[in-house]
Amino acid sequence: MTSQFSPKVSEILSFSREEAERLSSSSVGPEHLLLGLLRMKEGPVIDVFRRLRLNIPMLKYQLEAKVRQDDITQQPVYTRELVLNERASNILKLAVLEARTQHTQKVDEQHLLLAILHDQVNNGAKEILEQNDMNYDDVLSLFKAREMPVGGISLPDEDE
């Protein structure tokens, strides 16, 4: 399944494992996936966060608090191979479906964010994003607007 993922998504998965280890989590969950996404310095996801004027440090703080609240066992983990929990595995499967829906071969970072937001099961990452006024339809629209051909009619950002 990993061959379907872009190098950026592989990097995000690596960041997610580091985040889970840093927060002494027993597995990698959706919150860690989002924390991994937020470690990217640039790209379509960070562009969307900036366009929505989200406070990224505050988002990270809220996610970390959610992970600590949800992790009943606060025992340190001494393994380098943290596995994805069921919710995070489902997010990756949804990301594959998002990529297919958008007719792309590779799963990229925007598919991962859309999958978190489209997940029907409540996960901490989705909850935090929704608390910050992010939803699937708005984010999908922003990604699609980003892909519009340059030769088309466009409005300045402040007129949207």
Side-chain angles (χ1 to χ4, degrees), residues 10-135:
S10 298
E11 185 177 12
I12 290 164
L13 290 173
S14 177
F15 287 159
S16 300
R17 285 187 178 89
E18 290 173 13
E19 292 295 328
E21 186 176 335
R22 181 178 65 82
L23 294 169
S24 300
S25 299
S26 55
S27 62
V28 177
E31 301 82 4
H32 302 104
L33 292 174
L34 185 53
L35 284 167
L37 266 169
L38 292 173
R39 283 179 57 179
M40 303 304 288
K41 301 292 184 220
E42 57 186 42
V45 170
I46 296 301
D47 289 346
V48 164
F49 287 143
R50 286 185 184 130
R51 287 189 71 182
L52 292 173
R53 293 180 174 85
L54 289 180
N55 181 339
I56 292 176
M58 179 55 80
L59 206 55
K60 288 179 181 179
Y61 175 80
Q62 292 171 326
L63 284 165
E64 290 171 4
K66 183 73 175 155
V67 168
R68 288 185 181 103
Q69 173 189 342
D70 291 349
D71 265 358
I72 297 167
T73 58
Q74 282 291 346
Q75 302 165 352
V77 178
Y78 298 108
T79 178
R80 287 295 296 155
E81 287 303 315
L82 287 170
V83 294
L84 298 171
N85 66 23
E86 186 178 344
R87 291 175 297 147
S89 291
N90 287 339
I91 297 289
L92 290 182
K93 290 173 188 170
L94 283 171
V96 171
L97 293 175
E98 281 295 332
R100 285 186 187 156
T101 301
Q102 295 175 25
H103 308 292
T104 58
Q105 296 284 327
K106 292 271 185 196
V107 176
D108 219 336
E109 59 191 291
Q110 62 267 27
H111 303 123
L112 196 54
L113 178 61
L114 288 168
I116 290 169
L117 288 165
H118 205 224
D119 192 12
Q120 295 303 308
V121 176
N122 267 350
N123 65 65
K126 180 180 178 179
E127 286 175 32
I128 298 297
L129 290 173
E130 288 176 345
Q131 287 170 13
N132 285 276
D133 298 324
M134 277 186 92
N135 65 57

